[in-house]
Amino acid sequence: MINEKTMVADALTGLNGELKMFGDMIPQTENPQLKSVLKQIRNNCELSQEELYEIAREKQYYVPAQKASPQEVAHVKGLFTSKTL
C-alpha cells in the first residue's frame, strides 16, 4: 500500500521531470506560438510544483538542506563571475 508521503514524493519527482523537459524543449522550438504555449504550460507546472513542495514541507515529508553560509554563497558567486569556471 502506498502512503501519502510516497505519493507526494512521486508527484514532485514527476513535476520536476516535466519542468526539465520543458526547459529542454522551449529553446529548441522555432514556432513562436508553440514556444508561448510551452512557456505557459511550464509556468503552470512550476506553480503546481511550488504548491506541492509547500505541502510536503508543512507535513514534514520534505526537509530542505541546510542553507548555505555567506562564505559558500560568495565562493559560488565568485566561480560564476571569474573567468576560471
Side-chain angles (χ1 to χ4, degrees):
M1 187 163 127
I2 297 176
N3 63 25
E4 185 179 69
K5 181 178 180 179
T6 301
M7 289 189 291
V8 169
D10 286 350
L12 277 171
T13 299
L15 286 168
N16 288 336
E18 288 180 26
L19 287 170
K20 181 179 178 349
M21 179 186 67
F22 287 120
D24 293 340
M25 289 172 33
I26 291 169
Q28 297 177 26
T29 304
E30 291 185 25
N31 182 311
Q33 291 173 312
L34 177 58
K35 189 176 282 220
S36 178
V37 169
L38 290 173
K39 285 179 179 180
Q40 184 59 48
I41 295 170
R42 181 205 54 206
N43 291 344
N44 290 338
C45 187
E46 285 179 358
L47 292 174
S48 295
Q49 192 271 355
E50 289 171 9
E51 187 176 322
L52 192 53
Y53 168 78
E54 286 304 319
I55 291 169
R57 285 194 63 195
E58 287 172 11
K59 293 185 173 244
Q60 296 182 342
Y61 294 162
Y62 175 79
V63 178
Q66 183 177 357
K67 292 188 180 199
S69 70
Q71 294 81 11
E72 292 167 322
V73 172
H75 173 71
V76 172
K77 267 186 186 177
L79 291 175
F80 283 96
T81 55
S82 72
K83 295 182 186 198
T84 59
L85 181 65

